[in-house]
């Protein structure tokens, strides 16, 4: 399981919710949080300390910047961070576009429309702190459900490709109309 852009306290939540024997990689994106996250994941292997490998560690900390996309590609399942605490969620497009089944918590304020589009398509799993452990266990156990969620998510991404270009076209038309109205 890869947990991207985790927020304060989410590493502990994820460590406790992760099924036994399953590897968990957490990736907080704020360097000032790396040490606290490492404590919440103990024992863990830190990316920044390649020589240190605590015996039996199944928890990993991506305490570097610029490698999150590669980490998403490693996981069979992605949990979007900053969606279980007091922050406002993280953008789930990248792991879903990479074909990863993606789980997100209730805090999606900054990405409400995106998450709703994926939810409507059945391409994301929405959960909360109370159901997280059960949902992770089910998805780890059921490869066909993971693959189905991932496929529906990718289809949603494909169906919405080109949105930026379409919006740019609409904006350019509005600029042209405004210029014409000023001249007339």
């Amino acid at each position: 399981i890869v947990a991207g852009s985790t927020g304060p306290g989410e590493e502990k939540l994820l460590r406790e919710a992760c099924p036994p024997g399953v590897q968990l990689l957490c990736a907080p994106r704020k360097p000032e949080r790396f040490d606290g996250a490492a404590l919440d994941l103990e024992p863990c292997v830190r990316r920044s300390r390649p020589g240190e490998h605590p015996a039996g560690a199944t928890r990993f900390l991506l305490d570097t910047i610029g490698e999150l996309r590669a980490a998403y590609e490693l996981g069979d399942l992605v949990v979007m961070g900053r969606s279980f605490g007091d922050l406002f969620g993280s953008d789930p497009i990248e792991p879903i576009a990479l074909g990863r089944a993606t789980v997100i918590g209730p805090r999606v304020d900054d990405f409400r429309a995106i998450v709703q589009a994926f939810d409507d398509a059945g391409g994301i799993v929405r959960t909360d702190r109370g159901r997280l452990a059960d949902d992770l266990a089910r998805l780890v156990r059921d490869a066909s459900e993971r693959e189905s969620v991932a496929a529906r998510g990718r289809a949603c991404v494909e169906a919405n490709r080109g949105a930026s270009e379409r919006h740019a076209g609409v904006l350019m038309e509005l600029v042209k109309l405004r210029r014409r109205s000023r001249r007339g």
Side-chain angles (χ1 to χ4, degrees):
I1 297 173
V2 174
S5 301
T6 53
E10 288 181 328
E11 293 86 8
K12 182 178 180 188
L13 169 71
L14 290 160
R15 183 192 75 222
E16 292 170 355
C18 190
V22 172
Q23 294 181 345
L24 171 66
L25 182 147
C26 289
R29 298 299 74 209
K30 303 259 185 221
E32 62 272 15
R33 292 205 49 256
F34 292 164
D35 290 337
L39 289 173
D40 284 343
L41 291 171
E42 279 189 348
C44 75
V45 176
R46 294 179 72 157
R47 173 78 167 118
S48 66
R49 300 177 184 173
E52 297 177 18
H53 296 285
T58 58
R59 305 302 182 242
F60 301 85
L61 179 65
L62 186 62
D63 58 351
T64 57
I65 301 295
E67 298 182 293
L68 185 54
R69 179 185 172 91
Y72 285 147
E73 292 176 346
L74 293 173
D76 293 323
L77 180 60
V78 170
V79 177
M80 293 312 305
R82 296 190 298 215
S83 64
F84 292 95
D86 295 331
L87 299 175
F88 302 103
S90 294
D91 185 348
I93 294 173
E94 188 168 43
I96 292 173
L98 290 169
R100 299 302 179 258
T102 301
V103 174
I104 198 162
R107 294 302 303 266
V108 297
D109 304 27
D110 287 351
F111 301 95
R112 188 175 314 280
I114 292 167
V115 171
Q116 190 62 54
F118 285 126
D119 197 25
D120 291 347
I124 198 166
V125 176
R126 295 188 72 176
T127 192
D128 57 34
R129 286 175 166 267
R131 295 187 331 234
L132 181 61
D134 289 340
D135 287 337
L136 292 180
R138 185 186 76 253
L139 290 163
V140 164
R141 200 174 48 248
D142 190 343
S144 67
E145 183 180 358
R146 279 195 321 271
E147 291 167 8
S148 182
V149 168
R152 289 189 302 265
R154 280 191 72 140
C156 184
V157 168
E158 290 301 318
N160 287 286
R161 278 202 194 277
S164 295
E165 188 175 328
R166 289 189 301 275
H167 284 111
V170 168
L171 291 172
M172 292 307 295
E173 287 301 315
L174 290 171
V175 168
K176 287 177 190 176
L177 287 173
R178 183 170 171 101
R179 285 182 183 159
R180 282 188 219 140
S181 70
R182 285 185 173 175
R183 287 185 213 150

